[in-house]
Structures are given as C-alpha cells and as structure tokens.
Amino acid sequence: PRLELDQWSDARDDDGAAAAVRVARDLEFQRITDFVGLTEAPVVSPDGKMVAFIALIGGHRQLWIRLLAGGTLLQLTRDETDHLFPRWAPDSNTLIYYTPAANQLEEGTISEIGALGGWPRPVATALGGADISHDGRRLALLRAVDEEMMLVTVARDGSNLEQVARLPAALYSSLRWSPDDRWIAFQRSNFSAGFEVALEMVSVRDGVRREITRDSLLRGFSWLPDSSGFIYSSSRGSTMLYPPVCNLRRIGRDG
C-alpha cells in the first residue's frame, strides 16, 4: 500500500513574508508479519536485509527474523521465558537480547544468538537491554555495583568490565551507542515525575552526563548518522491525554 502525505513548511519570499510551501512525499509500506496479537521491538539489520522483532507466542515473548525481500519467518528462541530488546551486531550475523530474571529486582541475562538460529550464548548480566558498539567490540549495559546503578561497558565475551558513569536512582532504558562510539545515550524516567522522560547521553571517555531534552511520553530515539543529534518521538503539544498523539522531532546533541 502507498500513502501520500502533504508536508507544509515555512519559507520566506523576497519581502520576508512567510509563505506556505507544499512538499509531496510518497511512502511505501511493506507488511512484515501477519501474527494475531502482539509484535514489538522491530530492528533492521545493519546490512538492510533482515528485520528482527519480538512476538508473543504461548504467553512468552520470542525472537523472530524475516528477510525484507520476503520468505518464511524464522523463530530464533523457543524456551519458556521472555526475550526482550533485540540488537544486531554490526556484521548482521548475530543478535543480542535480554532475558529478565524471575525476580525483577535482580539482574537478568544478555545473550547472543546467530541470525540463522542455534544455541544462545550467555554473555553478561544486566539490569535491562544492552547495545553493541559500532566497531563490534563492546557492549553497553547497566549493572548494580555496590548497591549503585552503573553504566558500564564489557567486551563481547562479557569480560573486561569498565565503568562509564554512576547514575542516580531512576528507570533507565534504550541504551544506544553513537555512530562514532564516543557517546552512549539512553532514556531516563524519574519515579516522581509522572509521564516525563528525559533523553540523556554520557561521554564514554570521561563519564560526563548531559540531558538533551525532557518531554512527556518520550517513546524512543535514534542517533543521526553523523552523531550530531537525534530523532525522537514524543507527545509534546498533544491535546489528547489518552492515547496521546506522538510526533517525530529532531534535536542537536547540544540540546
């Protein structure tokens, strides 16, 4: 199916007056799944050939893959637990995912699995999902160290833990390396701030932390390819409380 959108933007004529410029865009949609029920967390492989996603099967979230060119869906995980937050390795040959512990207050497990299946390999314990650096050498993850929240990096085999920054008590999610691997960004939700979510980043070199923006219902972000900023989704300005209207926004790394 196709959808034609009309985008209106402001331009200036010779007299400095604002003029409306109409830009037509064609968007093509490709259906990936036909599951009945929940599918979530889609991630396209770096080579652009596959998409991995999570589907609720038999009461548990399982990891699936499909070629974007078409073909049969491949189920990678089948054990009776949840598999969350898939992330591709840079070579598109493997993925990592997170399995929560039975006790949600304890660290779960980051595992790695081949894109064609096979036995998963436990890599490290963490307090949520991880991300792989773009050079493919290290993972960024959260750990509980001496009763504090720590942003750390580890080697791909789980060894050589290095502390990046100590973090105040909050709910953190969506760790993302910048394309140049100099920064790690994440979302932070305060326990007492209602729906407000902050987008923050930390320097891998010196651990300096910076808040980029704070929005109501910030729902995911992505680095720009040159590491200069972000595209993110939020409900800022929405007049509907539930469900709110979310829009994609662009912001520089300096806020």
Side-chain angles (χ1 to χ4, degrees):
R2 298 172 66 89
L3 175 65
E4 293 187 359
L5 299 181
D6 291 332
Q7 181 189 48
W8 293 84
S9 61
D10 286 338
R12 299 284 173 180
D13 59 20
D14 293 338
D15 297 326
V21 178
R22 180 176 173 177
V23 181
R25 291 183 178 180
D26 288 342
L27 300 180
E28 294 188 10
F29 293 90
Q30 177 184 355
R31 184 167 185 170
I32 303 297
T33 71
D34 56 3
F35 283 107
V36 175
L38 178 69
T39 56
E40 58 188 1
V43 282
V44 177
S45 60
D47 63 10
K49 296 180 179 180
M50 296 173 284
V51 60
F53 61 94
I54 302 298
L56 188 61
I57 306 295
H60 297 287
R61 286 172 166 84
Q62 304 291 356
L63 180 59
W64 294 71
I65 282 184
R66 185 186 170 183
L67 291 173
L68 288 173
T72 304
L73 291 168
L74 174 63
Q75 183 176 349
L76 295 186
T77 60
R78 298 178 182 274
D79 48 318
E80 295 184 355
T81 187
D82 284 330
H83 309 78
L84 308 172
F85 314 127
R87 298 295 293 168
W88 285 96
D91 60 9
S92 300
N93 290 327
T94 61
L95 301 101
I96 60 171
Y97 62 87
Y98 176 70
T99 302
N103 182 348
Q104 295 184 356
L105 298 179
E106 298 178 353
E107 294 179 347
T109 303
I110 303 295
S111 299
E112 186 169 19
I113 192 170
L116 298 180
W119 291 104
R121 178 178 65 88
V123 176
T125 58
L127 292 170
D131 193 27
I132 306 177
S133 60
H134 291 78
D135 63 11
R137 296 179 180 178
R138 299 189 68 78
L139 305 181
L141 49 88
L142 295 169
R143 296 286 296 272
V145 179
D146 298 329
E147 299 184 353
E148 287 188 288
M149 183 80 74
M150 298 283 189
L151 175 62
V152 303
T153 66
V154 298
R156 284 284 294 276
D157 62 2
S159 65
N160 190 22
L161 184 147
E162 295 181 1
Q163 176 183 318
V164 177
R166 295 173 181 260
L167 302 176
L171 179 63
Y172 297 91
S173 62
S174 304
L175 301 183
R176 296 291 183 268
W177 289 88
S178 61
D180 60 11
D181 288 335
R182 297 175 56 194
W183 307 84
I184 299 171
F186 49 82
Q187 294 180 187
R188 176 177 57 83
S189 305
N190 286 328
F191 299 116
S192 59
F195 291 109
E196 269 199 347
V197 181
L199 171 59
E200 298 187 356
M201 68 179 190
V202 173
S203 167
V204 176
R205 180 177 62 84
D206 55 21
V208 173
R209 192 166 127 248
R210 179 188 301 168
E211 181 175 303
I212 307 302
T213 187
R214 183 190 299 265
D215 265 330
S216 57
L217 284 182
L218 195 153
R219 290 184 168 178
F221 68 92
S222 178
W223 281 93
L224 295 175
D226 61 359
S227 302
S228 65
F230 305 88
I231 300 292
Y232 70 99
S233 173
S234 82
S235 61
R236 177 189 293 182
S238 175
T239 57
M240 298 179 63
L241 293 180
Y242 185 83
V245 176
C246 289
N247 292 282
L248 291 178
R249 300 176 183 273
R250 177 171 176 158
I251 192 170
R253 196 178 63 204
D254 59 359

